[in-house]
Amino acid sequence: MVNLFGCLTTAVVRLAFSGAWAPAHYLVTIIDFGVLAVFFWLATHTTRFWPIWASGFALADIVITLAGAALPKTQLFAYHTGLGIYAYLALAALAMGTYRLPRDATPEQRRGLRSQWKAPI
């Protein structure tokens, strides 16, 4: 849902504002920070490994965005290719995490919440 929301929101922003295609447009950067925040939250609250990788790739997107802001003559092709590569890597992490979940996993394993590790009081 995070990937889908980020993709659709970015597409709407870029269709609404022609300047949103430029490196480090503030609305697209806000969306990227939101995606990073959700993946980081997932990485710290779940037993799954893929949110750690996805948050790393989202952080790489932020670094590319900041580099695009710092280097105003950045080629748009290079900028958007860099963003796209890390977006696809985040999707690959999600796919691998889904693939590695055992088919006979218990409901607790399927939810994967760290709060379930706590001992009862």
Side-chain angles (χ1 to χ4, degrees):
M1 292 306 294
V2 174
N3 287 325
L4 183 61
F5 179 75
C7 176
L8 292 177
T9 308
T10 302
V12 167
V13 166
R14 287 189 172 154
L15 288 174
F17 305 102
S18 61
W21 289 96
H25 188 269
Y26 71 95
L27 291 175
V28 176
T29 304
I30 290 170
I31 294 167
D32 287 345
F33 271 108
V35 168
L36 173 62
V38 172
F39 279 143
F40 181 78
W41 182 85
L42 278 173
T44 58
H45 287 82
T46 186
T47 60
R48 306 283 186 260
F49 73 91
W50 70 266
I52 298 169
W53 285 93
S55 63
F57 296 135
L59 182 61
D61 271 349
I62 297 296
V63 169
I64 288 174
T65 299
L66 295 176
L71 304 168
K73 294 190 182 218
T74 302
Q75 295 291 324
L76 285 179
F77 177 75
Y79 172 73
H80 288 291
T81 301
L83 290 180
I85 287 170
Y86 287 113
Y88 281 117
L89 286 173
L91 286 173
L94 170 63
M96 178 150 328
T98 304
Y99 175 74
R100 292 193 35 94
L101 184 66
R103 295 193 192 284
D104 60 344
T106 64
E108 290 80 19
Q109 288 175 324
R110 289 191 184 279
R111 279 188 233 110
L113 298 175
R114 287 194 191 275
S115 62
Q116 295 172 345
W117 288 5
K118 296 179 183 174
I121 296 176

